[in-house]
Amino acid sequence: KAVHKVKAKRMSDALDEIGVSGLDYFKSDLEGIDGLVLRDARQHIAGAAVVQAELRFMPAYEGEPHFDETVAYMRGQDFEVLHLTNENWRYATRHRDHMARGRTVFADTVFVKNIDTYLSLQGRSTEAVVRYCLACGVSGNANYAEFILEKHKELVPCDLVAALVNYLIPKARFGQPQFAKTRLGHVAMS
């Protein structure tokens, strides 16, 4: 087997080098070190709306944090778990091909900053609500984004709400337009 040495760099150092002081959306999928990276990049993600990371229920490496440890850490930073997509591995048993589940090994975990905390950090403004909702949409959580738009409708003009909802709704299949009516009374078409 060939061995290739690569120079590693801490996430916080890499972000500092390119002049990034804060992020709205941060995604990490680093085969077991996601929890460590989130701790290292804490000052860069402190004001983020959404943080997405692959967290393991069964750590594979020495020093790798368990799912629960990272969730507790993120809750301490005022992030909440919004969504989990878990990966189950089936044990090597004789009938495993006929069985639906095995053991949950890891989960792609989407955290959102508590909206009130986010708005106090970023300022209660149209821009802050829009950035928060766009970060939620990018992470695949458009329903939550729409909920936040409705919750903070006093900060976002109706025409902008309609445009954002239109952006957030997945495109209809086969070229047919998809309509959605929000509780704000706007009709959006995508």
Side-chain angles (χ1 to χ4, degrees), residues 100-188:
R101 286 189 219 144
R103 181 179 187 134
T104 300
V105 181
F106 64 85
D108 183 52
T109 309
V110 177
F111 296 95
V112 290
K113 185 68 123 183
N114 174 286
I115 184 63
D116 295 323
T117 302
Y118 182 82
L119 292 177
S120 72
L121 291 170
Q122 305 293 334
R124 289 185 60 77
S125 67
T126 299
E127 179 185 347
V129 174
V130 168
R131 286 187 7 234
Y132 190 93
C133 291
L134 289 174
C136 289
V138 167
S139 70
N141 294 282
N143 177 252
Y144 182 70
E146 184 180 21
F147 167 76
I148 294 299
L149 281 171
E150 291 175 4
K151 182 177 178 182
H152 295 282
K153 62 186 173 189
E154 78 283 357
L155 294 173
V156 184
C158 289
D159 58 336
L160 184 53
V161 168
L164 283 167
V165 169
N166 186 45
Y167 172 78
L168 294 168
I169 296 172
K171 300 297 179 215
R173 295 177 189 215
F174 311 113
Q176 298 298 317
Q178 180 174 344
F179 296 90
K181 183 170 174 53
T182 72
R183 286 188 295 229
L184 294 174
H186 303 291
V187 176

